[in-house]
Amino acid sequence: MGQLKTDPIAELQRALFQEFERDARGSRVARMLGEYAAAHDDWKRFALFDPQVYTRNLVGRNEHFEMLLLCWNVGQQSPIHNHAGQNCWMGVMEGEIEETLFAPPQGGRAGPLVPTHTRVHLAGKVGFINDDIALHRVRPVTGQRGISLHLYSKPIDECNVYDEASGCIVSSRLVYHSVEGIATGNAGAVLRR
């Protein structure tokens, strides 16, 4: 009898679950995502693009983390946002992804957000952010489209979105455009208020 073929993205999720059960270390999680990003393409079955907005495609979710494949058409970008107190790793699967960091408003005061740093993440590489580091905006490099694999520990159902000019904050509920490869009917929307 033949041996069952393993699914690399499912194996990654199992290994990550075990890692989080043991009190995950950020560097090990980044290494695991980077090794997967550099060697596999079974994530493509989760890739769903929308002409209006970048898409958030759920690959898997449990009590420790959620894994999403984000698909970015040319010119699309996330709003400036936080991560609701959670850690976020981002592996670049295709293209190049630009991340601009912003200092959070001080003392709860509104005012223009100031970009502090911009970095470009190349295919196969992994970035990391949490609210202690900065707020950020993510998008593909100008003129390109991109795909990134995001791991949030723990899952995030809503986050704060920041207006760059005023610093005003809106709490927004996040949506999925597909769940395990099946479209959800949320075309054209990224956030719900």
Side-chain angles (χ1 to χ4, degrees):
M1 188 184 319
Q3 201 172 17
L4 292 176
K5 187 175 181 180
T6 60
D7 181 355
I9 203 160
E11 287 297 321
L12 173 63
Q13 289 179 77
R14 277 191 282 281
L16 287 166
F17 186 87
Q18 291 172 350
E19 182 67 23
F20 281 101
E21 285 279 295
R22 289 191 306 260
D23 192 26
R25 300 252 183 222
S27 59
R28 286 197 306 253
V29 171
R31 180 181 44 77
M32 293 165 75
L33 282 176
E35 288 172 358
Y36 173 81
H40 300 287
D41 67 358
D42 63 317
W43 53 266
K44 290 181 178 182
R45 72 178 186 263
F46 300 103
L48 172 71
F49 284 87
D50 184 302
Q52 298 173 319
V53 296
Y54 74 95
T55 59
R56 302 179 74 251
N57 304 291
L58 182 65
V59 175
R61 180 179 171 131
N62 59 56
E63 67 269 23
H64 296 299
F65 64 83
E66 69 180 332
M67 181 181 288
L68 298 164
L69 191 71
L70 275 58
C71 297
W72 313 85
N73 272 317
V74 174
Q76 293 176 343
Q77 65 182 11
S78 73
I80 299 168
H81 63 280
N82 74 354
H83 290 91
Q86 303 307 316
N87 291 324
C88 171
W89 292 266
M90 175 182 70
V92 179
M93 310 311 287
E94 186 176 285
E96 298 176 359
I97 302 294
E98 177 185 286
E99 176 186 34
T100 302
L101 305 180
F102 295 84
Q106 296 300 310
R109 296 182 184 175
L113 296 181
V114 178
T116 59
H117 184 72
T118 297
R119 52 192 176 196
V120 173
H121 302 280
L122 305 176
K125 301 300 180 188
V126 176
F128 174 82
I129 194 165
N130 63 30
D131 296 343
D132 292 335
I133 295 171
L135 307 173
H136 75 171
R137 175 177 51 219
V138 178
R139 60 185 170 201
V141 169
T142 302
Q144 296 182 17
R145 71 181 215 169
I147 300 175
S148 49
L149 185 66
H150 295 243
L151 182 73
Y152 304 106
S153 69
K154 304 211 182 257
I156 302 172
D157 293 320
E158 56 184 67
C159 69
N160 288 336
V161 172
Y162 298 77
D163 180 76
E164 186 172 0
S166 69
C168 289
I169 303 168
V170 174
S171 180
S172 294
R173 188 146 185 81
L174 302 167
V175 301
Y176 300 131
H177 295 88
S178 68
V179 174
E180 297 177 2
I182 300 169
T184 61
N186 283 323
V190 175
L191 307 167
R192 300 250 190 260
R193 301 217 162 119

